[in-house]
Amino acid sequence: DQQVKQNSPSLSVQEGRISILNCDYTNSMFDYFLWYKKYPAEGPTFLISISSIKDKNEDGRFTVFLNKSAKHLSLHIVPSQPGDSAVYFCAASVGGATNKLIFGTGTLLAVQP
Amino acid sequence: DVKVTQSSRYLVKRTGEKVFLECVQDMDHENMFWYRQDPGLGLRLIYFSYDVKMKEKGDIPEGYSVSREKKERFSLILESASTNQTSMYLCASSLMGGWQPQHFGDGTRLSIL
């Protein structure tokens, strides 16, 4: 049972436009949500997170929105740059000291120059 | 910066061999994790450890074991390698408590022939 779902395997966007990556979850007990970015042949790197008590968190060009009633979060990248081309994973924290994360399947973002 | 180092970038082994994947982190993190990444399946947790000599099974522990004799080192062991264990293996570490982002190594691409 996939508790964290990224239904779009890929997304293509023009440079300078907005990229919107989506993620749905099923477990209402998740207390934090995180986005990771992964380039080929590298490990994932942490990008941005949001607590379940908030609905928005912003860091530069990256904004994450959380809609708890819909169990949906999204990552907005504005403006998109070619260097943003990567696989993006959303992850949800089950809480507690062990920081165990449940990852989605990832979305490959391609930003076209 | 947190540094998580995986001992090999690429590894080729034969069916039935015992395989050791090593991971070392330099930030005194309590938590360490082993994932495998497969196309269309995202990152799946194999095992994690929240202290020296402490370990817990993740979502797909079958065919694997782990060892954590020192805080900075977490080893993944494939007891008798099989072809379905061909995958990208990622190690991560994090601080304990509340939420903390996990920091990943660059991965080991393991092929079992």
Side-chain angles (χ1 to χ4, degrees):
Chain A
D1 181 29
Q2 192 79 21
Q3 297 187 66
V4 179
K5 299 178 184 178
Q6 293 177 257
N7 292 317
S8 298
S10 63
L11 176 68
S12 183
V13 170
Q14 287 295 121
E15 181 179 4
R17 306 295 291 269
I18 184 171
S19 295
I20 300 176
L21 296 103
N22 294 304
C23 182
D24 297 296
Y25 62 95
T26 58
N27 188 344
S28 58
M29 299 302 292
F30 289 141
D31 62 353
Y32 271 94
F33 301 89
L34 303 89
W35 284 94
Y36 282 81
K37 174 180 175 180
K38 186 181 185 299
Y39 293 119
E42 293 184 13
T45 54
F46 169 69
L47 198 55
I48 192 170
S49 65
I50 187 166
S51 164
S52 60
I53 63 172
K54 297 191 173 184
D55 55 18
K56 178 182 174 181
N57 189 27
E58 195 170 350
D59 183 2
R61 296 185 298 113
F62 302 91
T63 303
V64 57
F65 295 92
L66 176 63
N67 182 334
K68 286 185 68 177
S69 60
K71 295 190 176 69
H72 177 83
L73 66 154
S74 60
L75 175 68
H76 293 211
I77 307 173
V78 183
S80 301
Q81 300 172 354
D84 296 329
S85 297
V87 176
Y88 289 79
F89 292 99
C90 72
S93 170
V94 299
T98 58
N99 298 326
K100 181 180 171 183
L101 296 177
I102 309 291
F103 282 85
T105 52
T107 296
L108 174 62
L109 173 65
V111 180
Q112 310 294 336
Chain B
D1 266 1
V2 177
K3 183 73 173 174
V4 178
T5 303
Q6 294 184 230
S7 54
S8 305
R9 292 301 300 272
Y10 301 94
L11 208 52
V12 180
K13 296 292 182 180
R14 297 208 171 274
T15 304
E17 280 193 71
K18 191 169 186 176
V19 181
F20 293 85
L21 301 183
E22 306 287 345
C23 176
V24 176
Q25 50 96 2
D26 66 355
M27 285 302 291
D28 204 34
H29 285 171
E30 294 88 357
N31 297 328
M32 295 190 75
F33 308 83
W34 275 106
Y35 295 88
R36 62 179 282 179
Q37 182 194 0
D38 299 290
L41 297 177
L43 276 68
R44 294 180 294 166
L45 182 64
I46 305 171
Y47 265 98
F48 65 101
S49 168
Y50 50 90
D51 200 352
V52 175
K53 297 190 186 295
M54 306 303 289
K55 60 186 180 185
E56 282 196 25
K57 293 179 180 179
D59 300 317
I60 52 165
E62 297 78 17
Y64 303 95
S65 63
V66 289
S67 172
R68 193 164 181 204
E69 297 296 320
K70 293 184 178 181
K71 191 174 185 180
E72 67 271 17
R73 187 179 296 270
F74 192 35
S75 302
L76 179 69
I77 304 156
L78 284 65
E79 298 291 345
S80 177
S82 64
T83 55
N84 63 11
Q85 292 178 310
T86 291
S87 186
M88 169 68 82
Y89 289 87
L90 292 159
C91 174
S93 71
S94 77
L95 290 168
M96 184 177 285
W99 81 274
Q100 295 287 344
Q102 293 181 15
H103 300 269
F104 284 83
D106 284 338
T108 296
R109 172 70 65 184
L110 175 64
S111 296
I112 307 296
L113 304 179

